[in-house]
Amino acid sequence: MPPKGKAANKPKANERECSPKQQPQQQQQQTSSSPAPAPTPTTIAERSALFTDESRPFESARRKSGIASLPRDAQAACIALRFARLPAPARNRLPPKSQRELWRHVNDASLPIRALKRNYDYGAAGGWSFERYADWAAKRTVLTCLEGASRVFREKRESEKRGGSDPVTGERVVLTQGEIDEERGRRREMAALRKELYGVVTGRLEADPEWDDVVPIPQEEPEGALATISYLGEYAEAISYLRAVMVKKEYSPRCLKLTETIIEMNPAHYTVWLYRAANIFAMKLSIPDEIQWLNEVSLEHLKNYQIWHHRHLLIDNYYPTIADDAEAVAAFGASERQFLQQILAEDTKNYHVWSYRSYLIEKFGLWDVPEELTSIETMIDEDVRNNSAWSHRFFLIFSNPANSTPGVAATEHDPAAPAAVVDREVEYAKEKIALAPQNQSPWNYLRGVLVKGGRKLGSVEDFVQGFITGLGSDGEDVKSSHALDLLAEIYAEKGDKKQAELCLRRLAEKWDRIRAGYWEWRKKCLETA
């Protein structure tokens, strides 16, 4: 028989071929045991988490199943990595040979020596894309460069103050206006970048190199104050610089500009107006130029009292310089009247304007300027109820030094009041009363003129009676309650208390019932007179 062939060696357990049914199952097991690939990061926070995991290669498996679940080579690498991350004194406790062996494992596996911090807080930037973060980082680099250039400017300014010299040329350090303007632009750019990158708002004055030498004095509220004032940032900064320059008693163009900035934000700030006036007087600036600026501000803030007080101060300071020049006084008075007419066209009953107008007449002696009386008559024609215009007319006529006695009050008889003037004003009042009998302004004016001229109220009784018909009868008709009031005074002046009482009673009962209490009081005054 032929010799048997040599039996083939049996395959080892790990070399046995898989049956067709077993092969897919083994591939599936291998696939399921291999770690799934990490998702591609799209934000800064995701990339940071990925880098953190890569810096801690065995931490996840060790915490989940323990170090014993790792393959032997992975166990050795994990132990070596923990050893490498120990402080040097702890590592040196091992023999040199053991240390070399451990370092060999670290190097062969290319293990990271340092572990990144977990859950690093990036704030809002954590959700940024890489492109957005790269743009932010580029702007941060620009800001850093600008800050460096700004430090060089500040150092040069300090050197200039000390009288220092340039180390290269040996010449004295002097900042040019071009360098200052360049630094001003640089700081504006820095302020914009700080706000964009960090949300930090830089004050306008803080960013201006012109104010580098001023240390602002902020508002200090007492601890636990019940009602602290919440200033806007820009206003609070301006006020803090104002305090600083006022403490130093500095009067300069920049301080004048600072007052203008604050007035734009708060035109009712009384102190800043006083400080502005002090700057103008200290620097001997042109008062007509200041008044021209003030005119524009006045038209924007019609009801502001501080504006008109500032104008008073300016005129008090300016008038002595032109008092001896009649033409200059007349020209300035005309320009002021023109402006007052312009502002009264916006607000015909502005108390501050009328008060200043009376002051101007008295200060510049404009009593007999025809245009002044004409303008008042025009305003009364346009609005016969404009009590301010009536009051100014009385002041203009009966406070005129040519028609008055010094020291005599406005409500007292003045022997110096010309009879012709009194007659003219009585007729003027009557004419306007006829236009609007129920308008109180001309009735009050008529009373004042009669008193100033020393004439009895009864001198106009016939005129007053023309507005009253059948007093006390069924056919009673009163066209003006003010006429009935004046008639009561006329009867009282003549001693006819019965008729005076009748006038007052009818006012209380029918013609002015809303002031019935007042008319009853007037009746009691008749009884005690």
Side-chain angles (χ1 to χ4, degrees):
M1 293 181 63
K4 293 181 179 180
K6 189 179 288 187
N9 294 332
K10 292 183 179 181
K12 297 179 181 179
N14 58 351
E15 294 178 355
R16 290 176 182 167
E17 294 183 1
C18 297
S19 64
K21 294 182 180 180
Q22 291 175 335
Q23 193 168 356
Q25 183 178 0
Q26 184 175 359
Q27 290 177 353
Q28 183 177 2
Q29 290 176 353
Q30 290 175 357
T31 303
S32 60
S33 62
S34 60
T40 303
T42 58
T43 65
I44 298 299
E46 291 175 358
R47 187 172 65 179
S48 176
L50 178 63
F51 288 166
T52 300
D53 291 340
E54 290 177 351
S55 70
R56 301 166 181 267
F58 307 108
E59 183 170 317
S60 178
R62 182 172 58 82
R63 287 185 175 183
K64 184 176 181 180
S65 305
I67 192 172
S69 63
L70 298 175
R72 300 183 68 84
D73 56 344
Q75 292 180 19
C78 181
I79 294 172
L81 181 60
R82 295 181 65 183
F83 159 77
R85 290 177 176 175
L86 289 174
R91 292 198 306 266
N92 293 337
R93 293 176 184 175
L94 294 176
K97 183 177 180 181
S98 299
Q99 291 188 39
R100 287 194 298 271
E101 184 67 18
L102 289 171
W103 278 116
R104 183 180 63 78
H105 283 289
V106 171
N107 293 333
D108 289 348
S110 299
L111 299 176
I113 302 300
R114 292 181 178 84
L116 298 179
K117 179 182 177 181
R118 281 197 178 279
N119 301 322
Y120 184 83
D121 185 14
Y122 285 93
W128 290 359
S129 65
F130 304 141
E131 294 77 9
R132 182 178 177 184
Y133 182 79
D135 179 64
W136 182 88
K139 291 178 179 178
R140 182 179 58 180
T141 302
V142 172
L143 176 60
T144 302
C145 296
L146 290 172
E147 289 173 338
S150 184
R151 280 193 298 272
V152 172
F153 174 86
R154 294 173 191 268
E155 291 170 359
K156 188 172 182 179
R157 165 160 278 179
E158 290 300 319
S159 178
E160 181 186 38
K161 290 180 181 178
R162 296 191 304 268
S165 301
D166 189 295
V168 178
T169 63
E171 297 178 355
R172 184 173 179 178
V173 174
V174 177
L175 279 173
T176 65
Q177 187 60 43
E179 290 175 312
I180 296 174
D181 293 340
E182 183 182 359
E183 173 66 9
R184 187 175 286 113
R186 183 185 299 122
R187 293 193 189 181
R188 283 197 296 268
E189 189 175 354
M190 289 163 56
L193 285 171
R194 288 194 183 107
K195 183 176 182 179
E196 181 181 357
L197 296 177
Y198 308 114
V200 176
V201 178
T202 303
R204 188 177 61 83
L205 297 175
E206 180 187 353
D208 191 340
E210 186 178 8
W211 292 92
D212 282 349
D213 60 315
V214 178
V215 179
I217 303 175
Q219 173 74 20
E220 293 184 1
E221 297 285 358
E223 186 176 354
L226 293 178
T228 58
I229 302 175
S230 181
Y231 294 114
L232 293 176
E234 184 179 0
Y235 180 75
E237 182 199 35
I239 291 297
S240 65
Y241 277 83
L242 177 70
R243 294 190 193 98
V245 293
M246 288 183 68
V247 167
K248 293 167 56 180
K249 296 183 178 180
E250 177 185 335
Y251 306 111
S252 62
R254 70 175 182 179
C255 294
L256 189 68
K257 182 64 177 176
L258 176 62
T259 63
E260 183 176 344
T261 299
I262 297 174
I263 287 169
E264 288 176 358
M265 293 186 282
N266 181 12
H269 197 299
Y270 187 73
T271 303
V272 77
W273 281 107
L274 292 177
Y275 183 59
R276 181 175 181 86
N279 271 270
I280 291 168
F281 301 150
M283 292 188 288
K284 297 182 175 15
L285 300 179
S286 169
I287 290 180
D289 289 347
E290 174 69 5
I291 289 177
Q292 186 62 38
W293 172 83
L294 191 61
N295 288 349
E296 299 176 5
V297 179
S298 302
L299 289 169
E300 292 178 3
H301 308 284
L302 297 175
K303 296 293 188 181
N304 186 292
Y305 163 72
Q306 287 77 12
I307 288 174
W308 297 97
H309 181 263
H310 182 64
R311 203 177 193 101
H312 272 256
L313 294 179
L314 295 175
I315 300 304
D316 286 340
N317 187 274
Y318 180 61
Y319 178 73
T321 65
I322 62 171
D324 297 332
D325 188 343
E327 290 186 2
V329 170
F332 185 79
S335 66
E336 285 293 276
R337 285 199 315 276
Q338 183 180 2
F339 171 69
L340 293 180
Q341 286 300 113
Q342 180 184 359
I343 201 167
L344 285 173
E346 299 287 336
D347 183 5
T348 58
K349 300 175 183 179
N350 190 314
Y351 169 78
H352 306 310
V353 179
W354 285 108
S355 176
Y356 175 77
R357 189 169 189 166
S358 299
Y359 157 82
L360 188 71
I361 296 296
E362 190 170 10
K363 186 75 174 179
F364 282 75
L366 305 176
W367 306 101
D368 299 317
V369 176
E371 292 82 4
E372 184 67 18
L373 185 58
T374 301
S375 69
I376 297 302
E377 290 180 350
T378 301
M379 295 188 74
I380 292 176
D381 290 341
E382 293 174 350
D383 180 9
V384 74
R385 294 173 175 80
N386 189 340
N387 191 59
S388 299
W390 282 102
S391 298
H392 187 73
R393 182 184 179 94
F394 191 88
F395 167 79
L396 184 65
I397 293 172
F398 293 105
S399 294
N400 187 337
N403 303 333
S404 62
T405 302
V408 176
T411 55
E412 296 177 349
H413 165 55
D414 191 342
V421 172
V422 173
D423 290 340
R424 182 192 71 193
E425 294 306 305
V426 167
E427 293 304 315
Y428 182 79
K430 289 180 179 180
E431 177 188 338
K432 300 307 177 184
I433 288 172
L435 295 175
Q438 195 54 28
N439 176 23
Q440 189 175 10
S441 296
W443 287 105
N444 289 341
Y445 188 82
L446 179 60
R447 274 192 181 89
V449 171
L450 293 173
V451 171
K452 185 60 68 175
R455 300 184 183 183
K456 290 185 176 298
L457 299 178
S459 63
V460 295
E461 182 177 356
D462 292 341
F463 172 75
V464 175
Q465 289 282 11
F467 297 92
I468 303 165
T469 304
L471 183 64
S473 66
D474 293 340
E476 178 183 88
D477 183 33
V478 175
K479 296 179 180 178
S480 172
S481 62
H482 306 300
L484 191 55
D485 176 20
L486 182 55
L487 186 60
E489 293 186 39
I490 292 172
Y491 283 134
E493 184 182 67
K494 294 192 301 183
D496 190 345
K497 292 185 179 180
K498 183 178 179 180
Q499 284 298 104
E501 188 274 337
L502 175 61
C503 293
L504 295 173
R505 178 162 53 84
R506 295 307 294 154
L507 282 166
E509 292 175 350
K510 183 175 182 179
W511 301 108
D512 192 9
R513 286 179 292 179
I514 196 169
R515 294 196 296 169
Y518 170 71
W519 302 121
E520 291 296 330
W521 174 79
R522 287 274 299 274
K523 285 168 58 179
K524 292 179 181 179
C525 291
L526 285 175
E527 297 170 1
T528 58

